[in-house]
């Protein structure tokens, strides 16, 4: 097994140590020290190098170092090359923590109280019980499902929306465009955990916001280009949306004069909702390689037709 890692070099050194421990038989190399390129079987990357197949003519699988695989230019990849995104427990746990933090912060009105604090204002507002707060999660995949499990355990009234019908314990599930309006109407706090595809690009826009209950809140931890930024600012202006927690933007980072930075109703984090954790990721990747070598299906293979 000959593997090249091309991503953050510091984390790569952690990957190298874990490979040495868990798969000593593997040839694990950190880009750009790739050894004989003809012998490279697997590439783990956020961005593959240009002319990938000329560089590694015998490449068998391209693994994304992250949960998304929307960053790849598929036109430049051979149709038969499997592309696999990262599914690993550390990444899922990170997103569960972020979504729980953001939903609790919005549920307990923290943007408003932080603003009041800055104004020296001591003004309590009614506290709504979790059971009456409806949370709508868009995307019921690895991350959406795990986040909803945590939110149901906290007692929230949970709703979820996906492309195809799903069935999750304690969650009212909705599917497809036809059921989107009913799902939105039932979402006091909307959480986006969708992959970036042609269908989800720009989806968080004025039309969608107008379908939410007045004064709803938004958590955006999917991908930046899903959000129409002027439409969010307009919805915050009218109070249709009362606050937003944004982990992803377009571009990243935003320009220094962008209105999101100083907006009193926006919490902005620099794409840290969740990160691949080498300790658990190496084990997941090795399991996938073993499956591939045994001719079994891998987990997380991107369906290029579907776009995720
Ligand atoms: P999955 O592929 O496991 O799940 C995707 C979910 O989105 C599925 O439920 C799918 O529906 C649904 N979906 C896709 N397209 C549509 C659509 N057009 N309409 C309705 N539902 C749709 O992905 P993950 O849960 O692992 O990850 C989700 C995304 O989270 C990633 O793609 C990435 O963009 C983002 N992410 C962000 C991070 C951050 O730090 N901010 C970190 C990691 C991921 P169906 O079930 O029918 O297939």
């Amino acid at each position: 097994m000959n593997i090249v890692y091309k991503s953050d070099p510091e984390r790569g050194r952690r990957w190298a140590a874990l490979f040495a421990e868990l798969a000593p038989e593997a040839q694990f190399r950190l880009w750009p020290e790739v050894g004989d390129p003809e012998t490279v079987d697997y590439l783990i990357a956020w961005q593959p190098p240009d002319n990938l197949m000329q560089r590694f003519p015998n490449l068998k699988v391209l693994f994304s170092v992250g949960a998304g695989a929307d960053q790849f230019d598929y036109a430049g990849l051979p149709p038969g090359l499997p592309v696999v995104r990262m599914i690993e427990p550390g990444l899922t746990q990170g997103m569960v923590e972020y979504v729980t933090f953001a939903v609790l912060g919005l549920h307990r009105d923290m943007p408003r109280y932080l603003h009041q604090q800055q104004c020296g204002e001591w003004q309590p507002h009614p506290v709504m019980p979790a059971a009456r707060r409806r949370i709508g999660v868009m995307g019921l995949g690895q991350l959406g499902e795990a986040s909803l499990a945590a939110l149901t355990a906290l007692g929230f009234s949970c709703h979820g929306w996906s492309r195809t019908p799903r069935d999750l314990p304690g969650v009212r599930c909705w599917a497809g465009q036809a059921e989107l309006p009913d799902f939105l109407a039932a979402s006091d706090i909307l959480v986006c955990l969708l992959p970036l595809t042609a269908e989800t690009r720009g989806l968080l826009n004025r039309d969608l916001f107008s379908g939410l209950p007045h004064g709803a809140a938004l958590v955006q931890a999917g991908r930046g280009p899903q959000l129409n930024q002027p439409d969010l600012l307009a919805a915050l202006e009218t109070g249709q949306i009362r606050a937003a927690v944004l982990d992803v933007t377009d571009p990243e980072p935003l320009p220094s004069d962008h209105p999101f930075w100083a907006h009193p109703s926006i919490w902005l984090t620099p794409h840290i909702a969740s990160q691949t954790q080498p300790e658990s990721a190496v084990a997941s990747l090795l399991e996938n390689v073993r499956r591939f070598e045994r001719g079994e299906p891998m987990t997380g293979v991107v369906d290029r037709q579907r776009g995720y």
Side-chain angles (χ1 to χ4, degrees), residues 200-266:
T200 67
R201 186 176 289 272
L203 182 66
L204 303 177
N205 60 21
R206 189 176 52 175
D207 284 352
L208 182 139
F209 297 149
S210 68
L212 292 167
H214 186 78
L218 172 70
V219 179
Q220 164 57 329
R223 285 288 182 261
Q226 290 161 341
L227 175 67
N228 182 311
Q229 298 177 358
D231 287 1
L232 175 61
L233 288 169
L236 287 166
E237 188 65 35
T238 62
Q240 175 60 17
I241 294 201
R242 68 179 160 92
V245 178
L246 309 176
D247 183 56
V248 289
T249 59
D250 184 26
E252 292 179 0
L254 290 170
S256 57
D257 60 349
H258 195 283
F260 283 1
W261 286 110
H263 200 293
S265 302
I266 292 179

Side-chain angles (χ1 to χ4, degrees), residues 34-283:
V34 301
D36 176 0
E38 300 232 340
T39 65
V40 172
D41 302 307
Y42 307 107
L43 176 66
I44 310 161
W46 180 249
Q47 274 303 347
D50 292 339
N51 306 321
L52 178 66
M53 296 316 286
Q54 276 114 312
R55 217 179 268 264
F56 303 129
N58 297 309
L59 191 69
K60 295 173 183 161
V61 182
L62 170 60
F63 290 99
S64 172
V65 83
D70 53 278
Q71 74 277 18
F72 295 141
D73 172 14
Y74 288 92
L77 299 176
L81 179 73
V83 177
V84 180
R85 62 193 197 83
M86 184 58 71
I87 299 178
E88 63 93 1
L91 188 93
T92 303
Q93 174 61 20
M95 188 57 84
V96 170
E97 289 170 11
Y98 188 89
V99 169
T100 306
F101 138 80
V103 166
L104 284 174
L106 293 166
H107 167 60
R108 296 307 305 259
D109 248 353
M110 282 312 289
R112 185 185 203 176
Y113 286 117
L114 287 176
H115 185 59
Q116 286 187 193
Q117 181 184 345
Q118 279 149 13
C119 301
E121 196 183 328
W122 183 273
Q123 178 61 54
H125 303 282
V127 174
M128 181 190 277
R132 278 185 41 215
R133 186 80 75 185
R134 298 165 302 170
I135 316 296
V137 174
M138 308 181 88
L140 302 179
Q142 297 293 322
L143 305 180
E145 179 173 352
S147 299
L148 277 161
L151 296 171
T152 47
L154 283 168
F156 287 107
S157 165
C158 288
H159 297 252
W161 182 69
S162 53
R163 203 173 51 86
T164 54
R166 301 288 309 276
D167 189 13
L168 300 180
V171 179
R172 173 80 201 267
C173 292
W174 310 85
Q177 284 299 324
E179 293 184 5
L180 183 58
D182 288 340
F183 163 76
L184 292 174
S187 299
D188 299 319
I189 299 177
L190 183 72
V191 180
C192 177
L193 288 175
L194 290 167
L196 180 62
T197 66
E199 285 171 24
T200 67
R201 186 176 289 272
L203 182 66
L204 303 177
N205 60 21
R206 189 176 52 175
D207 284 352
L208 182 139
F209 297 149
S210 68
L212 292 167
H214 186 78
L218 172 70
V219 179
Q220 164 57 329
R223 285 288 182 261
Q226 290 161 341
L227 175 67
N228 182 311
Q229 298 177 358
D231 287 1
L232 175 61
L233 288 169
L236 287 166
E237 188 65 35
T238 62
Q240 175 60 17
I241 294 201
R242 68 179 160 92
V245 178
L246 309 176
D247 183 56
V248 289
T249 59
D250 184 26
E252 292 179 0
L254 290 170
S256 57
D257 60 349
H258 195 283
F260 283 1
W261 286 110
H263 200 293
S265 302
I266 292 179
W267 284 359
L268 200 57
T269 52
H271 201 145
I272 47 72
S274 183
Q275 287 174 352
T276 299
Q277 299 298 329
E279 283 70 18
S280 35
V282 169

